[in-house]
Amino acid sequence: MKIAYLGPKGTYTGEVARNLFPDKELVSLNSIRSVVIAVEEGKVDYGVVPLENFYNGEVRETFDSLIECSKTRIVQESSLEIIHCIGALKGHGDIKNIFSKDQALEQSGKYLLKFYPNSQTIAVSSTSEAASKIREGNILDSAAIASEKSLKEFGLEILDSDICPNNKTRFAVLGRDSPLATGKDKTFLVIHPPYRDRPGILNNILSFFAGFGINLESIQSRPDGKNGYYFYVELNGHEQEPKIQKSIDAIRFSLDPEFKHNDTIRILGSFKDTNWKG
Amino acid sequence: MKIAYLGPKGTYTGEVARNLFPDKELVSLNSIRSVVIAVEEGKVDYGVVPLENFYNGEVRETFDSLIECSKTRIVQESSLEIIHCIGALKGHGDIKNIFSKDQALEQSGKYLLKFYPNSQTIAVSSTSEAASKIREGNILDSAAIASEKSLKEFGLEILDSDICPNNKTRFAVLGRDSPLATGKDKTFLVIHPPYRDRPGILNNILSFFAGFGINLESIQSRPDGKNGYYFYVELNGHEQEPKIQKSIDAIRFSLDPEFKHNDTIRILGSFKDTNWKG
């Protein structure tokens, strides 16, 4: 069995893939879209990609890539507490530059402004690359933000730990089969009303979920670039449950009674609710 | 008059700041939070930061920093069509690496997978830095993704244009005064229900807006890390309009009847609607 994940090695996504599939062959790919396509084309059995972070929000590339697929679905969610540390080489001098992945620099923004107000942040491709760059270049005037494990792996000294507290990322396991209902599941939908800006459209959609007594876990609206919207909606319940099916039918009919559009509602997956936000 | 913006020079944010304030002194700062704090502390008159991009979604650091302020508000929105180009030095060889800002690489993901499937993407701190890096290092096996202007400024040859079509970023002008109603305005709110996960909470909130006939422009939910949510809501209307005030009163009362929490609803600003999504 082969598992693709958003690499490179040593990233948080890699850690999740290893935890979930301890004995399987892991394949590191260099973009989210490549992971999704590898699953879609059957080149791997599962893929692991980030879905959402407390600080940075949802990962749009994951949703966009999933919408382009016909077989690939979210089959499992898994979250990881992100404990960023800052590290430098032993014998380092004043910290002029701080290397990390853009999102990690953003997440640590408050801390950096407080403790390193005069340092320059420098974005690199991954947290592990930040650590490796400092090690390989023997850079003594810079620090890296990464996991403790990653910093230690590259021989950096930990200067401070958990610099962005209360930070979690949710990851998705992607596959081509749909898991059965467990009794406590969630369903991810993308709703794309087939017309331009129309007042009250979101209220209309949500009134159906409310009417069927379906709770929303999360919602994001997003312009489609043509004066319309995509709505990403996560519901409590499994797509096989009658009330979920009825609500989807009702919304689809209300938005597109003649069924002229095939992307009005797309189900991105139903999977066990791990209550990751706690 | 001084205007701070998210730098460095040559970025899209800088371009917007220059367009909006052609004769003013511009100050480039290296993080969104620094721009917000400069406005809050009165060190500059206005600040310009990104708010949302079609592909990457809302910029959480902007919202997070605004929530931490008491005086700073969104006073104007301004959007820019983002036309990414890919460029390399004259006489370049095979393109092994592609440099850009993380978000631009993400936005161009589909294009890159199609035309440069074997190239490695390398994230740097800004699109203009990507171009300057190639120029300064005289790197012949790499390309950069940036604006046409930025690529040409660093003497790079344009290999392809508009590689991520239909891409817009919305920017916010931040200030300490609130603009008056123009008749076609929007209001940004953050709603933070003061209790943990409760079914139907979002339906309840939205039913008040529907009841008052207020249209939603956008909505994003976000875990607060304590099993509760923040809802970022953008409404049609100005905060001085009675129906907007009434709806805010009603929601605040329904969520927190004894007024025990001071962050249940925060207004981030009211400003003229530019209909940016078109």
Side-chain angles (χ1 to χ4, degrees), chain B:
Chain B
M1 195 188 269
K2 268 192 183 173
I3 318 296
Y5 71 96
L6 175 67
K9 261 182 161 180
T11 59
Y12 292 105
T13 313
E15 201 177 321
V16 169
R18 179 48 73 218
N19 291 345
L20 291 174
F21 300 98
D23 315 316
K24 308 300 184 217
E25 183 190 344
L26 298 186
V27 184
S28 154
L29 296 178
N30 72 3
S31 78
I32 288 174
R33 191 168 261 106
S34 313
V35 173
V36 175
I37 290 174
V39 176
E40 179 75 4
E41 294 180 347
K43 290 181 181 154
V44 297
D45 298 276
Y46 294 101
V48 182
V49 292
L51 202 56
E52 166 178 15
N53 171 272
F54 277 0
Y55 283 76
N56 307 115
E58 82 274 18
V59 181
R60 288 273 167 96
E61 195 179 351
T62 298
F63 292 104
D64 285 353
S65 315
L66 280 173
I67 291 175
E68 294 157 20
C69 292
S70 62
K71 294 173 231 144
T72 307
R73 293 177 145 233
I74 302 170
V75 300
Q76 191 181 341
E77 67 175 11
S78 179
S79 64
L80 188 70
E81 209 165 334
I82 304 294
I83 304 182
H84 288 312
C85 298
I86 183 164
L89 289 174
K90 247 179 202 137
H92 68 85
D94 264 6
I95 301 299
K96 289 196 187 120
N97 302 309
I98 294 167
F99 293 88
S100 196
K101 187 170 166 69
D102 211 25
Q103 285 90 331
L105 291 169
E106 230 184 273
Q107 289 161 22
S108 312
K110 219 165 162 175
Y111 174 89
L112 293 179
L113 203 63
K114 189 165 174 193
F115 294 101
Y116 296 91
N118 301 315
S119 302
Q120 196 72 25
T121 57
I122 298 181
V124 294
S125 293
S126 69
T127 49
S128 61
E129 198 206 313
S132 100
K133 210 174 177 102
I134 287 182
R135 166 92 280 167
E136 279 169 24
N138 194 31
I139 303 174
L140 291 166
D141 67 352
S142 300
I145 294 172
S147 68
E148 183 178 351
K149 195 177 156 214
S150 192
L151 293 173
K152 285 188 171 163
E153 200 176 308
F154 291 102
L156 273 66
E157 205 177 36
I158 307 292
L159 302 177
D160 207 349
S161 290
D162 203 8
I163 65 174
C164 169
N166 196 18
N167 186 13
K168 260 190 184 177
T169 298
R170 173 161 64 147
F171 298 85
V173 179
L174 308 177
R176 292 177 305 273
D177 48 345
S178 283
L180 296 175
T182 68
K184 193 171 181 296
D185 305 284
K186 291 189 294 192
T187 297
F188 235 118
L189 303 175
V190 185
I191 304 174
H192 187 210
Y195 31 72
R196 297 162 81 91
D197 220 356
R198 192 166 98 175
I201 182 81
L202 181 61
N203 291 326
N204 289 352
I205 293 171
L206 297 184
S207 70
F208 283 104
F209 294 126
F212 283 102
I214 296 165
N215 187 43
L216 297 189
E217 272 279 315
S218 70
I219 181 163
Q220 323 291 336
S221 70
R222 172 185 165 190
D224 68 359
K226 295 160 193 160
N227 238 340
Y229 288 101
Y230 289 102
F231 298 109
Y232 297 90
V233 177
E234 196 179 8
L235 307 169
N236 287 126
H238 193 279
E239 58 176 307
Q240 297 299 336
E241 287 175 41
K243 72 174 180 184
I244 303 285
Q245 294 181 337
K246 292 281 181 205
S247 70
I248 291 173
D249 275 0
I251 291 168
R252 197 193 313 261
F253 180 81
S254 82
L255 293 176
D256 181 18
E258 294 171 41
F259 211 87
K260 282 188 184 158
H261 305 271
N262 59 13
D263 73 335
T264 305
I265 300 195
R266 287 282 307 274
I267 299 176
L268 298 187
S270 280
F271 49 90
K272 188 175 173 359
D273 183 359
T274 65
N275 196 21
W276 78 285
K277 301 184 310 296

Side-chain angles (χ1 to χ4, degrees), chain A residues 131 135 146-158:
Chain A
R135 165 93 281 168
S147 68
E148 185 179 348
K149 196 178 156 213
S150 193
L151 293 174
K152 285 189 171 164
E153 200 175 309
F154 290 101
L156 273 66
E157 206 176 35
I158 307 293

Side-chain angles (χ1 to χ4, degrees), chain A residues 212-224:
Chain A
F212 283 104
I214 295 165
N215 188 44
L216 297 187
E217 272 279 314
S218 70
I219 181 163
Q220 323 291 336
S221 71
R222 171 186 165 187
D224 69 358

Side-chain angles (χ1 to χ4, degrees), chain A residues 64-75:
Chain A
D64 285 355
S65 315
L66 279 173
I67 290 175
E68 294 157 19
C69 292
S70 62
K71 294 174 231 144
T72 307
R73 294 179 145 232
I74 302 171
V75 299

